[in-house]
Each structure stands twice: as structure tokens, then as C-alpha cells.
Amino acid sequence: MNDRTRIALAGSLLLSATSPVADGQITETLDVLNSDDWQTLKSIWRLLDGVRPSEDHFTISIATEKGDSLSAVIQNLLPGEGIENPELEFAVSMIRKITSARVNRLSRVNTMLMTRMMPPWNETVQNSLMFNFESRISTITNLAEAGEITATECVAARDSLIDKAETLALLEILDEVREYPFYDGTQFYEVENPGSDEILQKLDMSYRVALDSLQADHRVENKEYFLTIVQQHEEFLHRYEDFQQAKPLLRILLFDLMEAGN
């Protein structure tokens, strides 16, 4: 971890601190960033940065066996029981999931495109975002190493990628609480790489439609369907609150992973 990361860490946490535990967050986050597990995870992340992703969803860039090996390593890094602060544990778990998703994107054919059935919208959005994320991070890495972009351009590109990574984390949360593909997001099929605000807006619309339908007490045959939408969305909102609390720490971890020259 370099000085810029340390300064960003302290600044972000102090600005977002609302209780005396902020000092403890700083100390434990520094411990994570200096740990052997984090260095291993960072080396995997940087390895993936240098892989040129395929230009379609049917070709892989990393051997599937290699991807399986990397995924197994990732899952054993920085176990949650070793982290005391819940916001930090949440942020670290999101990093593990995003890194694993990157490995899957590069080492597996997208079987979702082989089915005749229309996949759930969040899976479509998630795959599109990951495809775009991998393409951009590979391009930026290669341009930076070749000296073809300035430090300022590299920072701007990194910040944009951090925003995309946060959106991927949001979709991971949605996928965890979605027991059945009830969220109706047909309009998303026409949206290319939506951001977090667009996703939240569409989810809220689906939630309100379900509430209105239940209150109107019509289409009784769909009552269970709408109840499930409401229950899933309320669980999502609970997890989203945890995400918001952990977001400053998540950005610090992403900042360290994406800092040029690490």
C-alpha cells in the first residue's frame, strides 16, 4: 500500500465517521491492506488486469482449470471470522465476490446465452457490466503500461471503474436475496451498462407496482407473486443499508487494487 492509498483511507474514513469506532476501522483496514492474504488477492486481481478478455461470450481467455484454482484461492482469503468490524467484513466479502466474478468471466463460456429461455434481467445486466468492466480494465492497464495515457487520465479511468465495481457489488447483493426471478426489469434489456441509480430506480418501481397490486386486491391468482417481490425487495433494502455503511471501505479496497503502479 502506497502513501496515496494511506491518505485516501484516512480521509475517507474520517469524513464518513459518525462514531468513535472510526479509529478502529482505520486500524483494522490498514491491517487488512498490509496482510499476506490481501497481497495474494491483489496479485490475482493484477493478474486478471493483464488478461485480454475475449471479444465475445463464447471464448475464454483463461483455462477453466486455472480459473477453478484461482477461485478456490480467493474463497479462502481474508475469512470473515478474522475481521471484527462488520462494515469491513462486508466490504472484503464484496471484493472476494467481484474478483471471483472476474475469474468466471475470463475462464468460462457464458452459458446463459445458450438457453432458449429469456434469463432474469439482473443476470443479463450483470453479464453485460462484467463484459464491459473486463474490456475496459484490460485496455486501461495496457495503455498505462505502454505510457500512452497520462497519470490524470489513468486516475479518471480508475474512478470510473470503481463506480462500475460498486454497481457489480450491488448486483451481487440482489442476486443473493433473489430466491426466484420475480423482479420485472424488461426495460433493462434496452439499457446498456446501467449505473446503480438506474438499477435502484427500476427496483423501486417494481416494488411499488407489487404493493399497489396487493392493496388493490385484484388478480388474486398473482398474490403470492407480488408478496414475494415485496419480501425480496425489503430484504434487498436491508442488505443495501449494510452496503451503504460499508461503501467508504469498499472504495478504499478498490482504490488500492486499482492504483497504478501497485
Side-chain angles (χ1 to χ4, degrees), residues 51-143:
V51 175
R52 175 73 66 178
S54 62
E55 297 182 0
D56 58 62
H57 291 276
F58 302 101
T59 306
I60 60 176
S61 301
I62 296 177
T64 301
E65 294 78 7
K66 176 67 172 177
D68 291 344
S69 176
L70 291 173
S71 294
V73 172
I74 292 167
Q75 294 309 310
N76 290 319
L77 295 175
L78 295 163
E81 58 269 19
I83 301 175
E84 294 184 5
N85 184 269
E87 288 83 11
L88 181 58
E89 192 280 326
F90 190 95
V92 169
S93 73
M94 287 294 101
I95 292 293
R96 280 199 304 267
K97 290 172 184 176
I98 294 171
T99 310
S100 293
R102 294 188 66 194
V103 171
N104 287 335
R105 160 69 184 89
L106 293 168
S107 64
R108 276 176 167 69
V109 172
N110 187 358
T111 56
M112 184 183 71
L113 301 179
M114 298 180 182
T115 178
R116 293 184 179 182
M117 298 178 62
M118 182 171 287
W121 69 264
N122 61 301
E123 291 185 19
T124 301
V125 172
Q126 199 168 20
N127 274 276
S128 177
L129 279 171
M130 183 57 71
F131 190 88
N132 180 269
F133 183 84
E134 285 302 324
S135 296
R136 292 195 62 191
I137 200 168
S138 174
T139 299
I140 292 166
T141 298
N142 291 331
L143 289 174

Side-chain angles (χ1 to χ4, degrees), residues 185-201:
T186 53
Q187 297 179 57
F188 268 112
Y189 289 106
E190 300 177 2
V191 179
E192 184 176 356
N193 299 314
S196 298
D197 289 343
E198 291 173 295
I199 291 172
L200 291 171
Q201 182 181 25

Side-chain angles (χ1 to χ4, degrees), residues 3-258:
D3 290 339
R4 290 184 61 192
T5 302
R6 191 181 297 274
I7 292 170
L9 168 66
S12 294
L13 289 177
L14 290 174
L15 286 173
S16 63
T18 56
S19 71
V21 301
D23 288 341
Q25 281 187 331
I26 294 174
T27 300
E28 191 171 19
T29 304
L30 285 171
D31 289 342
V32 166
L33 292 174
N34 289 317
S35 68
D36 291 340
D37 273 11
W38 182 257
Q39 298 309 311
T40 300
L41 191 149
K42 186 191 293 187
S43 69
I44 294 174
W45 184 280
R46 302 290 288 188
L47 170 68
L48 300 176
D49 289 352
V51 175
R52 175 73 66 178
S54 62
E55 297 182 0
D56 58 62
H57 291 276
F58 302 101
T59 306
I60 60 176
S61 301
I62 296 177
T64 301
E65 294 78 7
K66 176 67 172 177
D68 291 344
S69 176
L70 291 173
S71 294
V73 172
I74 292 167
Q75 294 309 310
N76 290 319
L77 295 175
L78 295 163
E81 58 269 19
I83 301 175
E84 294 184 5
N85 184 269
E87 288 83 11
L88 181 58
E89 192 280 326
F90 190 95
V92 169
S93 73
M94 287 294 101
I95 292 293
R96 280 199 304 267
K97 290 172 184 176
I98 294 171
T99 310
S100 293
R102 294 188 66 194
V103 171
N104 287 335
R105 160 69 184 89
L106 293 168
S107 64
R108 276 176 167 69
V109 172
N110 187 358
T111 56
M112 184 183 71
L113 301 179
M114 298 180 182
T115 178
R116 293 184 179 182
M117 298 178 62
M118 182 171 287
W121 69 264
N122 61 301
E123 291 185 19
T124 301
V125 172
Q126 199 168 20
N127 274 276
S128 177
L129 279 171
M130 183 57 71
F131 190 88
N132 180 269
F133 183 84
E134 285 302 324
S135 296
R136 292 195 62 191
I137 200 168
S138 174
T139 299
I140 292 166
T141 298
N142 291 331
L143 289 174
E145 290 178 351
E148 296 182 17
I149 58 176
T150 66
T152 300
E153 291 170 332
C154 190
V155 169
R158 179 205 61 211
D159 290 347
S160 174
L161 284 170
I162 288 177
D163 290 340
K164 288 183 179 296
E166 287 182 355
T167 303
L168 288 169
L170 184 67
L171 288 167
E172 288 286 346
I173 294 170
L174 177 60
D175 191 55
E176 289 175 3
V177 302
R178 186 188 55 80
E179 183 178 358
Y180 302 106
F182 283 142
Y183 283 115
D184 180 16
T186 53
Q187 297 179 57
F188 268 112
Y189 289 106
E190 300 177 2
V191 179
E192 184 176 356
N193 299 314
S196 298
D197 289 343
E198 291 173 295
I199 291 172
L200 291 171
Q201 182 181 25
K202 295 298 183 182
L203 289 176
D204 183 66
M205 289 173 59
S206 177
Y207 174 63
R208 291 181 183 279
V209 167
L211 283 179
D212 290 344
S213 299
L214 289 171
Q215 291 171 357
D217 198 29
H218 68 284
R219 298 178 65 182
V220 178
E221 69 277 10
N222 290 327
K223 183 175 182 179
E224 184 176 349
Y225 170 89
F226 292 122
L227 280 172
T228 303
I229 290 179
V230 170
Q231 292 168 358
Q232 289 183 164
H233 190 70
E234 290 176 350
E235 172 61 20
F236 170 77
L237 290 178
H238 177 72
R239 293 295 306 280
Y240 180 68
E241 184 177 348
D242 293 338
F243 172 76
Q244 288 292 86
Q245 293 293 322
K247 193 172 179 179
L249 295 171
L250 177 63
R251 290 191 71 87
I252 290 302
L253 299 179
L254 288 168
F255 186 101
D256 190 63
L257 289 173
M258 297 186 189

